Amino acid sequence: MINRLCIIGVGLIGGSLARALKAQGACGEIVGYGRDAERLDRAVELGVIDRYEMDMAAAVKNTDVVLLAVPVGSMQSIFEAMAPHIDATTVITDAGSTKASVVAAAKRAFGEVPANFVPGHPIAGTEKSGVEAAIDDLYRDRRVILTPLATTSATATDTVRRMWEAAGAQVELLEVKHHDEVLAATSHLPHMLAFALVDALAKMDEKAEVFRYAAGGFADFTRIASSDPTMWTDICLANREALLHAMRLFSDELGELGAAIEIGDVDRVRAIFERAKSARDGFCEKLNYAKE
Amino acid sequence: MINRLCIIGVGLIGGSLARALKAQGACGEIVGYGRDAERLDRAVELGVIDRYEMDMAAAVKNTDVVLLAVPVGSMQSIFEAMAPHIDATTVITDAGSTKASVVAAAKRAFGEVPANFVPGHPIAGTEKSGVEAAIDDLYRDRRVILTPLATTSATATDTVRRMWEAAGAQVELLEVKHHDEVLAATSHLPHMLAFALVDALAKMDEKAEVFRYAAGGFADFTRIASSDPTMWTDICLANREALLHAMRLFSDELGELGAAIEIGDVDRVRAIFERAKSARDGFCEKLNYAKE
C-alpha cells in the first residue's frame, strides 16, 4: 500500500498506472504534476488523479513514491527540478523506454544515482497517447522490467515491484545494458522499420494510391508507425548505440535475403523464411501470458 | 450465375471463394482438382466442394470458369496440363499474388496468352492456410485486382468480375506491371522485413530470450512472418525485379534514418517519423471499406 504517489506526466502510461492502483485500492492519494493546467484538470475530472501541483516542491513533498512518466528526453530536467526538494526516503522510479540514458540523467542531476531510484520500464502501451487513453488494465499480465543498480536500495526495488504487481504486471529484473539491447531489438528497431517503410512508400507514390491496395497484414504491420513522433525521436536518440547496432544486424540480414532473391537461390530464401516462421510461431506460443 | 466452377488447388483461397459463392447461391456445381485425395476428400466432407477430379481433362470438362489457386511457382505446370483439354469458351482466372509471372507462364504453356484468361489477385488472406481455414467472408469488402491484357476478352473479364463481386469483393482493374509494383511495396516488401527481422533476432539470441520481452506491437508487426515459407519463396522469386526495387528504396530510407540517428539530427529523425505517421493515419482513415 502506497500512501501517496506522485505522477510526473499524467498521460497514457502514468494515467493507466493511476487507474490500475485506484481500481485495486493499492494507493491512497495520487498527485499529478505537469505544466499544462488544462490537461491536469482533465485528469482530475476523469478521476485519474486526486489533485495536482504545478510546483515541483509541493508535488513531491511527503510522497512515498514518485513516478516519472515523461519522454526520456525530459527526464534530466525533471530530475534537476526535483533534486533540491525530494525527501531522502521517497522512492523514485520511471517508465522510460530506455534505461542507460535515464540512469545517466539521474546521475547528472543528483551528482550520483540516488539509492532510492529504481529505473523501470513497463512493456505496454498503445499507439494512442494522452490521459484520455488511460485504462486500468493496460498493465494486466504485461511485463515490467526494473533495472536496479548495485547501489540501488533493495527496499526501494521491492516497493516499486509491489506497485507494478498491484497493477497486474509481471515484474522482472534485468541489467541496464541488457535491457537496452533487448528493447532495441524487439521494440525500437521494429518502430524504425515501420516508420521507414511507410515513409518510403509515401515518397514512392505522391498520390498515396499505393495504400489503396494494402491488406489487413499491412495495417497490422504498420500500426506502430502511428506512434508519437516526438516520443520516438527521443527514444531512438536515447538508445542510439544499441539501436544502431540492431539496425546494422537487420540491414545485414535484409541484404543477405536480397542477394539470395537476386540470384534466385530458392533454398537459401526458403531457409530464412522457415527459420523466421519457426521462431515467430515459437515465441507466440510462449506469449500465453499476454493478451495477444 | 456460374453453372460449373473448377477450383485448382482447394486451400484457403480457393476454398473461401467456393464457400462464399455457395453461401450466395452464385454457383451451381463446384469441382475441385488437386493431387492429394485425402485433402480433397476433406474438402468434400467440409462442404467446400461438391466433388473432385484428379485427372485434369475430367476436371476442366464443360466448366464455365476455372480458378487456379495454387502457388505462383506451380502455375505453369497447371497451365500446361490444362492446355490440351480446356474448351475455348471456358474462362480461366487465377489468384496468384504476382501477375507478370503468371501471364508469362500462361504464354509459355498456351503459346499465346488465351483471350479467355483473366489474371486476378484477391487482396485477402490470413497467415493460416489449408481448406480447414477457408471461410465464406474472407473476401467481404476486400479488393480483388484483375489485370486483363489488351487481348483479353471483355466478356471473360466481366464474368470473373461478377464472380468476385458475388463473393463480396470490390473489383478493380490495374495494369500487370503496376499491380506487381504496388504489391511489391505494400505486401511483398513488408513480408521480407518481417521475415528478416525475426530471423535476425533469432540469430542475435540463440536462447530466444529476446522474445520474452516483446510487447503486443511486436506480435502485430511480426504476424506476417508466420506466413507459409514455400508460398513466399515462390512469390518473391516470381516478382523478383519489382521486389528488389522496393527493397532498395526501403534500404535507402533506413540508411538515411540510421545516419540521422547516428549524428543526432533530431529534426531529421522527427520529420521522417512525422511524415510516416501522417501517411499511415491517412490511409487507415481511407481503409473504412476494410474490416480493419
Side-chain angles (χ1 to χ4, degrees), chain A residues 38 48-49 71 100 108 116 138-139 154 178 184 212 217 224 232 243 270 274:
Chain A
E38 215 172 294
V48 172
I49 53 174
R108 283 191 296 266
N116 278 341
L138 185 65
Y139 304 113
H178 190 194
R212 280 171 57 83
I224 53 180
W232 277 95
L243 175 57
R270 194 192 293 117
E274 279 170 354

Side-chain angles (χ1 to χ4, degrees), chain A residues 28-237:
Chain A
E29 191 182 42
I30 302 185
V31 180
Y33 170 90
R35 283 182 303 188
D36 184 335
E38 215 172 294
R39 285 199 202 174
L40 290 163
D41 279 329
R42 182 89 187 107
V44 173
E45 266 169 49
L46 290 167
V48 172
I49 53 174
D50 297 304
R51 61 180 176 87
Y52 66 83
E53 299 287 346
M54 298 182 70
D55 173 71
M56 184 62 88
V60 301
K61 194 177 164 187
N62 291 329
T63 300
D64 298 315
V65 178
V66 173
L67 170 76
L68 283 77
V70 298
V72 288
S74 307
M75 295 284 181
Q76 189 170 340
S77 63
I78 296 289
F79 282 134
E80 283 165 0
M82 180 187 294
H85 307 293
I86 199 154
D87 295 333
T89 55
T90 299
V91 172
I92 307 168
T93 188
D94 77 299
S97 301
T98 65
K99 299 272 58 78
S101 75
V102 177
V103 169
K107 188 171 183 182
R108 283 191 296 266
F110 289 94
E112 59 181 21
V113 182
N116 278 341
F117 172 51
V118 184
H121 178 202
I123 314 281
T126 70
E127 73 275 21
K128 294 177 195 154
S129 56
V131 70
E132 286 82 2
I135 47 174
D136 67 8
D137 64 350
L138 185 65
Y139 304 113
R140 168 103 10 237
D141 299 326
R142 295 300 188 187
R143 287 185 206 275
V144 170
I145 302 176
L146 304 181
T147 63
L149 312 184
T151 53
T152 305
S153 144
T155 317
T157 301
D158 199 49
T159 298
V160 177
R161 172 197 284 274
R162 279 183 284 115
M163 177 182 78
W164 285 111
E165 285 175 350
Q170 297 190 3
V171 175
E172 301 207 19
L173 305 189
L174 280 188
E175 277 181 61
V176 167
K177 188 167 186 290
H178 190 194
H179 168 278
D180 285 359
E181 286 166 358
V182 166
L183 271 289
T186 58
S187 171
H188 311 164
L189 172 60
H191 278 80
M192 298 309 106
L193 303 185
F195 281 127
L197 173 68
V198 177
D199 193 39
L201 263 57
K203 277 183 191 167
M204 200 180 289
D205 173 18
E206 298 274 312
K207 300 186 301 282
E209 199 210 14
V210 69
F211 297 120
R212 280 171 57 83
Y213 303 102
F218 187 74
D220 276 352
F221 189 77
T222 58
R223 178 158 298 119
I224 53 180
S226 286
S227 302
D228 182 52
T230 302
M231 186 181 96
W232 277 95
T233 304
D234 257 20
I235 291 173
C236 71
L237 294 175

Side-chain angles (χ1 to χ4, degrees), chain A residues 178 275 279 286, chain B residues 198-211:
Chain A
H178 190 194
R275 282 198 310 260
K286 284 182 208 134
Chain B
V198 176
D199 193 38
L201 263 56
K203 278 182 190 168
M204 200 180 290
D205 173 19
E206 298 273 312
K207 299 183 303 279
E209 199 210 12
V210 70
F211 297 121

